[in-house]
Amino acid sequence: MAEPPESYRINDEPDQVRREQDRLRMLSRVADGRTHRALTDVGIAPGWHCCDIGSGAGLIAAWMADQVGPSGRVVSLDVDTRFQAPSAGVIEVRTVDVTCDSIGDNEFDVVHARAVLQHLAQREAVLDSMIRAAKPGGWVVVSDVDWIQYDAQPVPEPFGTLSRVLRELSSSQHGYDGTWGRMLVGALGARGLSDVNGRGEVWTMRGGTDSAEWYVAALDRALDVVPAEVFPPGFDPRAAIAQAREPEFAILSPISVTAWGRKPGR
Ligand SMILES: C[S@@+](CC[C@H](N)C(=O)[O-])C[C@H]1O[C@@H](n2cnc3c(N)ncnc32)[C@H](O)[C@@H]1O
């Protein structure tokens, strides 16, 4: 079985597993509408063969299965498949590390990844593997956030510091790229895909609701392993988490960019 990379490693404590499962379901409630729209735009239809990489809770794979019907096929790949239901019907769940294992070869009508590539230092190579896995004429759909305008707003303190420090740590230690969202359309075009398109969306992140918790819960979990010395002296990271859970807390989200393009040939 492929080992999760350090930045994604969740231990086997039932509480940790449950918290991550809850968080992935929150992310799904916040983001699925946008993803369904993009996959619908590229024409997902009965009989299609689809692949979702870094599929998390498996909810996009389940939605794909509804769209493709019994004559279709859905491959749901993740390095850590504990948070999704096992293979059933047209869905095949595979434990795969996309940074070193093949995704496939000329076999899918659509290959999709949401909130995965920007976390991986090998994102450019993984994007190449996604394109390799698409059929000639098939689609590659990628979604990641960009922090450019989040950082331009006055994020309240202490949450602003918590958010900045943990993002910088993730970039320096794990290869996270908070600028990857703005690169997506260009990265697809540079690889020779046709019909390249994309859109970006921003929403209000409100304290204590899914709209903010998909992110705040990840920072909360990170605090279990991050040493106190990464913060300025006297900084209380737990107070920052509590602030972002207050009902009056409201900031703009990062831009969620979804981009797609079509592999040449048919
Ligand atoms: C932020 S979650 C996003 C989950 C899902 N795509 C969604 O948007 O709801 C990132 C997912 O990528 C998976 N992942 C991270 N590194 C991976 C790798 N090298 N190979 C396969 N999956 C990976 C994680 O296990 C996790 O499920």
Side-chain angles (χ1 to χ4, degrees), residues 249-266:
F249 182 86
I251 56 172
L252 284 177
S253 72
I255 308 168
S256 172
V257 180
T258 304
W260 54 92
R262 194 166 209 187
K263 183 165 166 175
R266 225 178 307 182

Side-chain angles (χ1 to χ4, degrees), residues 23 26-35 37 114-115 118 143-147 149-151 153 155 176 199-216 249-258:
R23 195 185 72 81
M26 270 185 262
L27 176 60
S28 176
R29 290 195 289 275
V30 171
D32 279 6
R34 287 187 292 280
T35 304
R37 192 168 148 217
R114 181 179 76 196
Q118 74 182 111
S143 183
D144 278 301
V145 299
D146 195 297
W147 297 85
Q149 62 77 42
Y150 174 98
D151 289 334
Q153 70 185 319
V155 179
Y176 180 80
R199 65 172 76 95
E201 293 174 62
V202 169
W203 62 97
T204 304
M205 294 168 59
R206 251 176 231 296
T209 72
D210 290 345
S211 64
E213 271 297 308
W214 65 274
Y215 176 51
V216 177
F249 182 86
I251 56 172
L252 284 177
S253 72
I255 308 168
S256 172
V257 180
T258 304

Side-chain angles (χ1 to χ4, degrees), residues 129-206:
S129 303
M130 291 176 70
I131 295 170
R132 201 170 309 124
K135 286 176 183 170
W139 294 90
V140 172
V141 180
V142 184
S143 183
D144 278 301
V145 299
D146 195 297
W147 297 85
I148 189 165
Q149 62 77 42
Y150 174 98
D151 289 334
Q153 70 185 319
V155 179
E157 289 297 338
F159 186 75
T161 296
L162 177 73
S163 167
R164 182 179 44 76
V165 168
L166 291 187
R167 186 153 28 103
E168 283 168 4
L169 200 64
S170 189
S171 299
S172 61
Q173 295 199 340
H174 303 299
Y176 180 80
D177 184 354
T179 71
W180 178 239
R182 83 195 70 160
M183 308 294 185
L184 285 178
V185 164
L188 296 177
R191 285 167 169 79
L193 299 198
S194 67
D195 302 290
V196 173
N197 212 332
R199 65 172 76 95
E201 293 174 62
V202 169
W203 62 97
T204 304
M205 294 168 59
R206 251 176 231 296

Side-chain angles (χ1 to χ4, degrees), residues 2-5 7-8 10 20 23-25 27-28 31-32 35 52-60 77-81 83-84 94-101 112-117 119-120 122 126 143:
E3 276 288 306
S7 57
Y8 271 103
I10 315 279
E20 180 59 4
R23 195 185 72 81
L24 287 168
R25 288 178 174 276
L27 176 60
S28 176
D32 279 6
T35 304
D52 189 26
I53 78 159
S55 48
L59 299 174
I60 289 300
L77 304 182
D78 203 292
V79 73
D80 188 349
T81 51
F83 311 108
Q84 58 186 291
R94 282 195 214 149
T95 305
V96 164
D97 180 345
V98 294
T99 64
C100 50
D101 302 327
H112 168 258
R114 181 179 76 196
V116 181
L117 297 195
H119 293 278
L120 302 174
Q122 308 86 339
V126 176
S143 183

